[in-house]
């Protein structure tokens, strides 16, 4: 693939990420995607073999980006492991605010929609969610080791519980058009992660 083709392909993925966060997978038409990306109509299949392939690549990029962002947050100097976890939840409250489509978590947005449509997309989302839970578990273990979290916290179980709670809170925030479920999840996270 030449550089121009690769650049156009990446541009379509970038524009698609924003549109997918706003509209979802099924409602995103290829005509709209190409129009918004300013790419000639009918050229989609020059860059992707199918809409599913496009969505899979977009989701793989998103999951990689999200995991990288989490790794960066959890490696910040000058913050305890518990503080880094609380920073993550604070960012989640802001980014998943119901009015902000641009930063919507694609696992939250697309999970229920595509899981019955595409096994490939479902697998990417499942691996993405698993990667987040694993990172949370490692961060809780770090917190127990550095003394910022209570030594009695079960890292794996708490990580799974927290992530599931936040996914549910994000869904409720969308349904209710309110940030209240996210704020409640933040309060609950404090309780589930007692300081050491």
């Amino acid at each position: 693939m030449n550089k121009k083709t690769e650049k156009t392909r990446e541009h379509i993925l970038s524009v698609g990420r924003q549109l997918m966060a706003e509209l979802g997978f099924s409602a995103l038409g290829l005509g709209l995607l190409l129009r918004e990306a300013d790419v000639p109509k009918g050229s989609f299949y020059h860059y992707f073999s199918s809409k599913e392939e496009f969505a899979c690549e977009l989701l793989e990029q998103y999951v990689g980006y999200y995991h990288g962002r989490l790794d960066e947050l959890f490696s910040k100097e000058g913050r305890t492991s518990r503080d880094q976890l609380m920073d993550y939840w604070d960012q989640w409250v802001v980014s998943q605010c119901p009015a902000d489509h641009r930063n919507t978590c694609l696992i939250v947005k697309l999970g229920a929609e595509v899981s019955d449509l595409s096994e490939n997309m479902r697998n990417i989302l499942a691996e993405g969610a698993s990667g987040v839970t694993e990172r949370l578990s490692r961060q809780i273990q770090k917190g127990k080791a550095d003394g910022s979290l209570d030594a009695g916290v079960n890292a794996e179980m708490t990580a799974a519980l927290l992530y599931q709670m936040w996914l549910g809170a994000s869904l409720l925030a969308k349904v209710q058009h309110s940030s209240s479920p996210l704020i409640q999840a933040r309060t609950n996270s404090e309780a589930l992660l007692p300081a050491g």
Side-chain angles (χ1 to χ4, degrees), residues 11 43 69 73 89 99 145 160 164-165:
H11 178 64
S43 65
R69 223 179 77 210
L73 177 66
W89 307 129
Q164 291 164 12
M165 177 180 67

Side-chain angles (χ1 to χ4, degrees), residues 56-99:
C56 284
E57 188 160 334
L58 187 151
L59 289 174
E60 284 174 353
Q61 279 187 355
Y62 175 77
V63 165
Y65 162 77
Y66 193 94
H67 288 168
R69 223 179 77 210
L70 200 50
D71 291 340
E72 184 180 327
L73 177 66
F74 288 166
S75 63
K76 272 191 177 172
E77 298 288 326
R79 305 282 287 156
T80 68
S81 297
R82 185 178 189 277
D83 288 341
Q84 291 168 343
L85 282 163
M86 294 306 148
D87 291 345
Y88 176 53
W89 307 129
D90 289 339
Q91 287 180 17
W92 195 317
V93 170
V94 172
S95 69
Q96 297 310 299
C97 178

Side-chain angles (χ1 to χ4, degrees), residues 3 6 12 32 48-49 55 71 81-82 86 103-104 107 114 118 136 151 154 157 176 187 190:
K3 285 185 178 183
E6 184 59 34
I12 293 170
L32 173 64
F48 303 96
S49 65
D71 291 340
S81 297
R82 185 178 189 277
M86 294 306 148
N103 293 316
T104 295
I107 293 174
V114 303
S118 165
L136 292 172
N154 181 309
M157 188 173 70
Q176 297 173 4
T187 300
E190 287 272 0

Side-chain angles (χ1 to χ4, degrees), residues 33 44 47-48 63 70 73 105 109 146 148 150 167-169 177 184:
L33 173 62
F44 178 83
Y47 303 102
F48 303 96
V63 165
L70 200 50
L73 177 66
C105 173
K109 178 71 176 184
D146 71 19
S148 63
D150 186 278
L167 288 175
H177 282 232
Q184 183 62 54

Side-chain angles (χ1 to χ4, degrees), residues 115-190:
S115 291
D116 293 334
L117 296 176
S118 165
E119 187 66 10
N120 291 331
M121 284 189 276
R122 188 196 66 74
N123 282 328
I124 294 166
L125 291 172
E127 288 172 16
S130 177
V132 172
T133 304
E134 288 168 14
R135 283 165 171 80
L136 292 172
S137 181
R138 285 196 304 264
Q139 186 68 8
I140 292 168
Q141 288 288 13
K142 278 174 48 182
K144 289 167 65 171
D146 71 19
S148 63
L149 284 169
D150 186 278
V153 175
N154 181 309
E156 284 184 25
M157 188 173 70
T158 304
L161 177 61
L162 284 164
Y163 190 57
Q164 291 164 12
M165 177 180 67
W166 279 93
L167 288 175
S170 297
L171 181 59
L172 285 173
K174 290 185 183 315
V175 169
Q176 297 173 4
H177 282 232
S178 168
S179 58
S180 294
L182 299 169
I183 293 165
Q184 183 62 54
R186 176 61 170 81
T187 300
N188 292 342
S189 298
E190 287 272 0

